[in-house]
């Protein structure tokens, strides 16, 4: 048991920081209520850190928004109760609700860049929290600067005068945490606070949260798809699926001795130390989450569970205490850990890639200097490397270390400084895409980190991939359609998705579209720039397996950029 847990037990009894009871929430779409939370119940004790985990779309963020009454306009609480520090939040109105939000509960969002106002200086935004509490303008500014120092921003005075876009992602997140803690809330809600941060910044933010939690005696509701983060930061954990809590208990107990097939499946999706594609695939969870509002008369996980029978599909299992306050909603919880694998562990043998002894790509003395505010900023300095046929080269480093700049130079999007040398299979590469041959452009493709910004939201999936087939492979008519079918099949994208636009797809499906587009011209090298950083573990496992299979089948080489060392180790 963690020290925090012991402190909670030994402390005098206090009101729970958050008490959610039988909460039903729906979103009204086209006049129909589509339920997303189903009789959700959990408690965050005073001084406790509680983790909520599950796939994207399972209702984690909806639970957090319901806890602070920030549901969107079409959100409806159909039943149940939410209490913060003993006060019924759902019964509050007007000034009472605003005061509770300002003093009792604070929220740190996933994307700090969106949480901060881009047109207002950082210091003014932090100081405003103190002004709302009644401090004078000068006092509020002094206290804001003190709080920025408390969240380990060294040059707080200078940061106060900057705008959000002038700060790194880690600095932005520290500012948001400072704003959240400025009111000394009873409950701090963290919604994916480290997604997209590199390993060192993530560690710094987590250590900061742990230290501030002790100093301010705040309770924490920590929402994340990163099971490692939850294991490190939380005393207890709840596993959410389709709006239902399917397993709950002490964090270490749940992760070391899971008693629900869904939890077992999530844990198997994680790349383990020493597990590489040559030694076997990651396991995955079959199927998809049910759509919001789906009729689920029995166990919510039944359609994806290998153990499911008629009883599971018709009778909802009650929470069963399997020992020490560890509960599971499964009729067959005692055999959950014997769940059959969904994905065969072995990869079929692959033939060795043909090679003339030359690397697919060679870079020599590659440097890039940017001019900012009258000064030279060296993003890259004399980088040299070679990538061979069928090989994966992992590129790791902190944010700002030059990983993406290097990738952009390889692709010809950014021209390197003079003196650099780039070769594709022994032939010199022009520094910019417009001066390269069509064959050279086809040979090097990229899968971007964020498929939302990489895919044209106005076009259907068929048009996005079809255009790449025309531009890169020169295919038209029946030949293009045949190749499109083969390509979407290879990335396991169902034909029904071809007629929809990216906005109708999940993050994992969008990334499959991006991968299909990258492979349209049969590339020799694919640059994967953080392609799984924003995906939950089950979708991440599917994408990593897919990349490994495509490499085996098409003998393509990868430059894999990531801040997740476990992912790099796997590929």
């Amino acid at each position: 048991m963690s020290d925090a847990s012991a402190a909670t037990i030994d402390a005098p009894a206090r009101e729970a920081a958050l008490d959610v009871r039988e909460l039903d929430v729906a979103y009204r779409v086209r006049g129909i209520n589509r339920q997303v939370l189903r009789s959700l119940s959990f408690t965050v004790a005073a001084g406790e850190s509680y983790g909520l985990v599950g796939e994207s779309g399972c209702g984690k963020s909806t639970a957090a928004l319901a806890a602070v009454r920030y549901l969107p306009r079409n959100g409806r609480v159909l039943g149940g109760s939410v209490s913060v520090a003993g006060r019924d939040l759902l019964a509050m109105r007007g000034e009472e609700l605003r005061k509770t939000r300002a003093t009792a509960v604070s929220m740190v969002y996933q994307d700090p860049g969106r949480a901060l106002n881009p047109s207002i200086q950082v210091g003014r935004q932090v100081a405003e929290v103190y002004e709302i509490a009644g401090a004078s303008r000068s006092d509020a500014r002094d206290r804001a600067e003190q709080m920025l120092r408390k969240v380990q921003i060294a040059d707080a005075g200078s940061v106060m005068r900057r705008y959000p876009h002038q700060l790194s992602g880690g600095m932005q997140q520290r500012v948001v945490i400072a704003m959240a803690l400025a009111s000394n809330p009873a409950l701090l809600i963290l919604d994916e606070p480290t997604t997209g941060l590199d390993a060192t910044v993530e560690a710094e933010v987590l250590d900061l949260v742990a230290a501030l939690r002790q100093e301010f005696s705040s309770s924490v509701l920590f929402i994340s798809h990163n099971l490692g983060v939850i294991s490190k930061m939380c005393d207890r954990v709840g596993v959410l699926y389709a709006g239902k809590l399917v397993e709950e208990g002490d964090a270490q107990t749940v992760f070391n001795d899971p008693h629900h097939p869904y939890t077992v499946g999530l844990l198997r999706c994680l790349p383990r130390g020493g597990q590489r594609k040559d030694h076997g695939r990651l396991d995955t969870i079959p199927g998809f989450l049910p759509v919001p509002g789906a009729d689920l008369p029995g166990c919510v996980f039944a359609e994806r569970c290998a153990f499911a029978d008629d009883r599971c599909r018709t009778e909802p299992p009650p929470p069963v205490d399997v020992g020490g306050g560890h509960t599971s909603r499964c009729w067959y919880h005692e055999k959950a850990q014997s769940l059959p694998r969904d994905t065969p562990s072995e990869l079929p043998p692959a033939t060795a890639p043909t090679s003339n002894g030359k690397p697919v790509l060679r870079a020599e003395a590659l440097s890039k200097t940017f001019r900012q505010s009258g000064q030279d900023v060296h993003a890259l300095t004399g980088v040299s490397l070679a990538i061979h046929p069928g090989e994966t080269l992992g590129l790791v480093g902190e944010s700002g270390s030059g990983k993406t700049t290097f990738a952009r130079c390889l692709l010809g999007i950014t021209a390197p400084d003079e003196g650099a040398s780039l070769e594709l299979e022994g032939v010199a590469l022009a520094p910019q895409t417009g001066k390269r041959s069509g064959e050279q452009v086809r040979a090097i493709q990229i899968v971007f980190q964020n498929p939302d910004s990489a895919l044209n939201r106005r076009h259907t999936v068929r048009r996005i991939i079809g255009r790449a087939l025309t531009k890169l492979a020169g295919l038209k008519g029946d030949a293009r359609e045949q190749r499109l079918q083969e390509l979407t099949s290879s990335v396991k994208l169902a034909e029904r998705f071809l007629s929809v636009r990216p906005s109708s797809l999940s993050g994992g499906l969008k990334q499959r579209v991006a991968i299909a587009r990258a492979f349209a011209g049969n590339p020799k090298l694919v640059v994967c720039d953080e392609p799984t950083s924003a995906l939950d573990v089950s979708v991440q496992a599917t994408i990593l397996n897919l990349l490994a299979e495509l490499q085996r089948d098409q003998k393509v080489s990868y430059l894999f950029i990531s801040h997740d060392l476990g992912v790099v180790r796997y590929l």
Side-chain angles (χ1 to χ4, degrees):
M1 183 181 293
S2 68
D3 293 338
S5 298
T8 301
I9 292 172
D10 295 339
R14 290 185 285 168
E15 292 281 4
L18 176 66
D19 187 27
V20 177
R21 289 286 154 226
E22 298 296 321
L23 185 64
D24 292 320
V25 174
Y27 290 117
R28 193 161 184 81
V29 181
R30 297 187 180 93
I32 300 174
N33 284 335
R34 302 188 182 277
Q35 194 164 350
V36 290
L37 296 183
R38 306 164 189 272
S39 300
L40 177 64
S41 297
F42 67 92
T43 299
V44 182
E48 180 182 53
S49 180
Y50 184 96
L52 202 57
V53 302
E55 294 172 278
S56 297
C58 69
K60 303 188 300 297
S61 293
T62 296
L65 293 172
V68 290
R69 291 278 300 276
Y70 275 142
L71 287 170
R73 288 186 178 182
N74 66 332
R76 304 281 189 277
V77 176
L78 304 180
S81 65
V82 177
S83 296
V84 175
R87 289 172 284 181
D88 186 353
L89 202 71
L90 299 183
M92 294 180 186
R93 296 292 184 272
E95 184 60 29
E96 184 184 14
L97 177 60
R98 284 192 291 273
K99 185 176 180 181
T100 299
R101 286 172 173 165
T103 60
V105 58
S106 292
M107 191 163 177
V108 176
Y109 296 92
Q110 176 174 345
D111 186 353
R114 292 186 179 183
L116 295 170
N117 191 319
S119 64
I120 300 177
Q121 289 178 329
V122 166
R124 185 78 194 92
Q125 297 190 54
V126 181
E128 187 178 28
V129 180
Y130 292 104
E131 290 180 28
I132 291 172
S136 66
R137 191 171 184 121
S138 61
D139 184 38
R141 184 168 183 84
D142 291 342
R143 292 169 69 180
E145 188 169 344
Q146 291 174 9
M147 180 57 78
L148 289 179
R149 291 196 185 98
K150 199 175 288 289
V151 296
Q152 298 175 17
I153 293 179
D155 190 9
S158 172
V159 170
M160 292 271 288
R161 297 187 294 272
R162 298 182 197 173
Y163 290 90
H165 73 272
Q166 296 173 310
L167 305 180
S168 67
M171 290 277 277
Q172 288 177 347
Q173 196 63 286
R174 289 167 192 259
V175 171
V176 173
I177 292 172
M179 293 173 65
L181 289 172
S183 60
N184 194 14
L187 176 66
L188 179 63
I189 300 175
L190 304 170
D191 189 3
E192 302 277 11
T194 60
T195 296
L197 301 181
D198 61 60
T200 54
V201 176
E202 177 187 272
E204 290 172 359
V205 169
L206 294 179
D207 288 344
L208 171 64
V209 169
L212 292 173
R213 177 191 160 204
Q214 278 195 331
E215 179 177 346
F216 287 87
S217 300
S218 292
S219 304
V220 175
L221 173 61
F222 204 120
I223 295 170
S224 181
H225 63 251
N226 189 324
L227 304 186
V229 167
I230 292 293
S231 177
K232 175 182 178 181
M233 297 294 294
C234 298
D235 306 314
R236 290 193 305 129
V237 64
V239 183
L240 195 64
Y241 182 81
K244 196 86 170 176
L245 208 62
V246 296
E247 188 163 6
E248 184 182 37
D250 174 81
Q252 299 305 317
T253 302
V254 169
F255 290 142
N256 294 329
D257 187 26
H259 276 257
H260 195 282
Y262 180 57
T263 312
V264 172
L266 286 177
L267 292 169
R268 287 184 183 174
C269 292
L270 294 173
R272 304 290 182 180
Q275 182 181 35
R276 303 169 66 94
K277 67 175 184 298
D278 296 331
H279 300 145
R281 293 184 179 97
L282 296 169
D283 199 11
T284 57
I285 301 175
F288 302 95
L289 276 161
V291 297
D295 184 22
L296 303 172
C299 173
V300 291
F301 189 61
E303 293 306 313
R304 301 175 71 184
C305 182
F307 294 139
D309 55 20
D310 290 341
R311 183 187 191 190
C312 300
R313 295 183 180 92
T314 56
E315 296 180 41
V320 177
D321 192 332
V322 297
H326 180 187
T327 62
S328 171
R329 289 181 181 269
C330 180
W331 293 116
Y332 304 109
H333 61 84
E334 70 282 352
K335 64 175 185 178
Q337 294 178 35
S338 62
L339 183 75
R341 284 182 63 95
D342 176 62
T343 306
S345 60
E346 297 298 324
L347 275 168
T351 57
T354 57
S355 173
N356 56 9
K358 296 179 181 178
V360 171
L361 182 99
R362 184 188 297 277
E364 295 285 349
L366 196 150
S367 299
K368 180 59 186 178
T369 305
F370 294 100
R371 189 77 175 170
Q372 293 183 356
S373 303
Q375 295 182 329
D376 288 339
V377 177
H378 300 284
L380 296 171
T381 306
V383 178
S384 299
L385 57 80
I387 304 175
H388 292 84
E391 180 182 57
T392 298
L393 176 65
L395 194 61
V396 300
E398 298 176 81
S399 295
S401 61
K403 303 187 300 296
T404 298
T405 299
F406 181 74
R408 291 172 64 88
C409 288
L410 294 188
L411 289 156
I413 299 172
T414 299
D417 295 344
E418 290 187 11
S421 171
L422 285 173
E423 294 181 357
L424 179 69
E425 295 185 320
V427 178
L429 272 176
Q432 292 183 298
T433 305
K435 297 180 180 179
R436 296 179 181 180
S437 69
E439 184 177 350
Q440 289 176 330
V441 171
R442 286 196 301 272
I444 306 177
Q445 292 294 306
I446 187 169
V447 178
F448 293 98
Q449 175 177 353
N450 185 357
D452 281 316
S453 58
L455 302 176
N456 192 322
R457 66 188 67 182
R458 293 186 176 184
H459 294 171
T460 64
V461 171
R462 182 185 299 278
R463 184 173 179 183
I464 290 170
I465 301 176
R467 185 174 184 275
L469 287 169
T470 299
K471 293 287 186 181
L472 298 176
L475 298 177
K476 296 181 181 179
D478 292 342
R480 186 178 78 166
E481 181 64 23
Q482 181 180 347
R483 177 57 182 150
L484 186 145
Q485 296 289 342
E486 293 172 354
L487 198 56
T488 53
S489 176
S490 70
V491 298
K492 299 177 175 60
L493 191 70
E495 187 173 356
R496 68 178 183 276
F497 294 124
L498 293 177
S499 60
V500 304
R501 291 179 172 83
S503 60
S504 301
L505 302 178
S506 68
L509 289 173
K510 290 174 189 173
Q511 202 61 290
R512 293 186 196 203
V513 174
I515 292 170
R517 182 178 63 180
F519 277 82
N522 293 318
K524 296 175 181 178
L525 172 68
V526 174
V527 177
C528 301
D529 189 3
E530 302 275 13
T532 63
S533 66
L535 304 179
D536 59 61
V537 291
S538 59
V539 179
Q540 174 183 272
T542 301
I543 295 299
L544 292 177
N545 285 341
L546 172 62
L547 289 171
E549 290 167 13
L550 289 170
Q551 184 175 53
R552 178 206 64 198
D553 295 338
Q554 302 192 23
K555 313 303 182 291
V556 67
S557 302
Y558 291 138
L559 174 65
F560 199 92
I561 299 170
S562 180
H563 63 253
D564 189 329
L565 301 184
V567 168
V568 172
R569 187 181 296 115
Y570 172 74
L571 274 175

